[in-house]
Amino acid sequence: MPAQETAQFVLESIKAFASTSFLNRLPAPEEGFIFDPPLVQFADGDDPVFLEYHEVVNPSHLTPRQALAQAYGANPDDMPKHLSVISWILPITSRTRQSNRQQTKGPSRRWAYTRWYGEKFNEALREHVVKLLTEKGYLAAAPVLQPYFKTFTSEKGHYSNWSERHIAYAAGLGTFSLSDGFITERGIAHRCGSVVTNLALPASPRTASNHYSNCLFYVNHKCLACIRRCPAGAITERGHDKIKCSEYIDSEIGYLKEEYGVEEIGCGLCQTKVPCEFKIPVRKSNT
Ligand code: B12
Ligand code: SF4
Ligand code: SF4
């Protein structure tokens, strides 16, 4: 199959799963979709940007070649010559974003459900894509679902050995921002995921001029909306303080887990009621 047709097949399969899976539905009493149709793009598994992540994230951050090899208990050099990474963005629905815009201290119930049930759907989507490819005879692995996936803590806060946003950056889906959030064509309010495979897919162009170019602050130094939105004071003109953010989530809004009946919680106020919530704000025509 020509590369463009293969890409279309992967895109359609992911969109079909998102539109039919019951896991992409909020439980009662909220109901409705958790995520809008996904954005899907591809990266070359040996793109040199993955080597930069050893410095940008941590030396433990895996390259796609290492991630696929480890999943199969193999040596990275013994993996097939060409590897691809499939990366997706799951935009959070407008009803959920609107509910979180009203909030000032912690997440709305819909946002909390999106963190908990939405990530369950994201996991199912990763499994679905791996199954789709392996059933066709390709190698495939979702690093975040592998036993080797780990999160660590340094003096700057938590990080992991497979950062989904850095993968999405490699696949040209957007850029980082002052708040650390990842700004895509559909904005910053989303969750993301990825799978590594030896299926040949055309690498999507990375058009952003740098890794912050979708964020208004780095263009005009005036947009401070996420700083004002953060109830923890974790965002300043110097960036996002992950320790303050985590401490706020654990100690100040941890009680909401019980109230909403979820096992993990996130605040996400910095991702709603901000100019980058649903679009790339530096593009005036994109309203
Ligand atoms: C650890 C973690 C956290 C930690 C630390 C967050 C962080 N900034 O790393 C804490 C607990 C604070 C956290 C909070 C939240 N999280 Co969280 N978290 C993760 C996790 C598990 C790992 C992230 C990681 O590895 N980070 C690595 C570090 C190094 O990344 P970073 O500091 O952001 O990267 C900066 C540098 O790399 C820098 N940079 C410097 N030089 C260069 C050069 C280049 C070339 C590049 C590309 C970048 C770069 O740019 C970045 C931004 O400043 C991921 C899941 C995953 N496996 O990816 C989810 C994830 C990042 N979380 C997510 C979300 C949604 C949240 C919350 C909104 C909570 C919620 N659900 O409501 C908040 C938002 C906090 C924020 N403002 O970012 C989403 C993010 C989606 C998005 N819209 O951006 C993820 C991807 C989960 C998912 N599957 O979708 N999270
Ligand atoms: S609110 Fe403004 S400064 Fe903050 S991330 Fe969005 S565009 Fe950047
Ligand atoms: S930086 Fe952390 S505490 Fe602040 S609004 Fe964002 S998620 Fe909430």
Side-chain angles (χ1 to χ4, degrees):
M1 210 194 275
Q4 283 306 337
E5 273 180 43
T6 316
Q8 198 58 28
F9 163 75
V10 172
L11 172 67
E12 295 303 333
S13 305
I14 292 177
K15 282 195 169 166
F17 188 76
S19 65
T20 54
S21 171
F22 72 93
L23 291 171
N24 189 18
R25 299 284 179 151
L26 288 164
E30 304 302 316
E31 296 176 336
F33 278 107
I34 302 179
F35 298 114
D36 282 341
L39 303 177
V40 184
Q41 291 197 177
F42 313 109
D44 182 325
D46 290 308
D47 189 313
V49 77
F50 292 113
L51 297 174
E52 282 185 51
Y53 297 164
H54 289 154
E55 263 189 42
V56 167
V57 183
N58 187 271
S60 63
H61 199 272
L62 298 164
T63 64
R65 187 164 285 284
Q66 289 169 327
L68 191 64
Q70 274 196 40
Y72 283 88
N75 188 316
D77 297 335
D78 295 338
M79 286 285 102
K81 197 164 182 296
H82 183 86
L83 301 183
S84 311
V85 189
I86 303 166
S87 172
W88 58 82
I89 300 293
L90 301 171
I92 295 175
T93 62
S94 135
R95 271 182 75 191
T96 301
R97 288 189 276 105
Q98 275 180 20
S99 69
N100 220 42
R101 275 183 218 163
Q102 322 299 322
Q103 301 295 114
T104 54
K105 290 195 170 66
S108 65
R109 182 181 289 274
R110 290 183 75 93
W111 188 273
Y113 279 1
T114 299
R115 163 67 188 86
W116 180 239
Y117 297 106
E119 188 52 24
K120 297 261 174 249
F121 165 72
N122 201 6
E123 284 172 6
L125 176 57
R126 292 179 182 102
E127 280 165 4
H128 174 75
V129 174
V130 168
K131 189 160 175 271
L132 185 79
L133 299 172
T134 50
E135 280 181 353
K136 289 190 177 299
Y138 296 101
L139 304 178
V144 159
L145 299 185
Q146 288 291 320
Y148 61 65
F149 174 72
K150 285 192 179 66
T151 54
F152 308 90
T153 309
S154 74
E155 70 292 349
K156 287 190 190 155
H158 303 307
Y159 64 95
S160 71
N161 56 357
W162 188 261
S163 165
E164 298 285 20
R165 295 194 281 211
H166 287 79
I167 304 308
Y169 177 81
L173 280 160
T175 79
F176 288 86
S177 66
L178 184 67
S179 73
D180 273 356
F182 189 77
I183 306 179
T184 71
E185 288 289 340
R186 295 290 320 277
I188 199 168
H190 62 81
R191 297 190 68 79
C192 45
S194 62
V195 161
V196 185
T197 177
N198 64 330
L199 170 69
L201 289 160
S204 312
R206 213 158 43 233
T207 51
S209 53
N210 66 63
H211 61 274
Y212 283 133
S213 63
N214 287 352
C215 171
L216 267 183
F217 175 81
Y218 293 98
V219 175
N220 65 14
H221 286 269
K222 285 188 191 137
C223 178
L224 306 173
C226 52
I227 297 182
R228 289 193 288 266
R229 275 292 275 160
C230 177
I235 310 172
T236 65
E237 292 188 33
R238 291 184 307 282
H240 174 233
D241 181 332
K242 293 181 218 178
I243 295 177
K244 268 194 180 169
C245 171
S246 304
E247 282 175 357
Y248 183 80
I249 293 173
D250 293 343
S251 59
E252 300 295 325
I253 58 167
Y255 74 95
L256 285 173
K257 286 192 219 169
E258 202 174 330
E259 191 169 319
Y260 292 150
V262 295
E263 287 172 39
E264 298 282 349
I265 199 117
C267 150
L269 298 192
C270 55
Q271 302 194 342
T272 50
K273 210 176 175 188
V274 288
C276 55
E277 178 192 295
F278 56 89
K279 63 176 183 182
I280 297 175
V282 297
R283 288 191 202 152
K284 286 205 178 74
S285 59
N286 191 9
T287 50

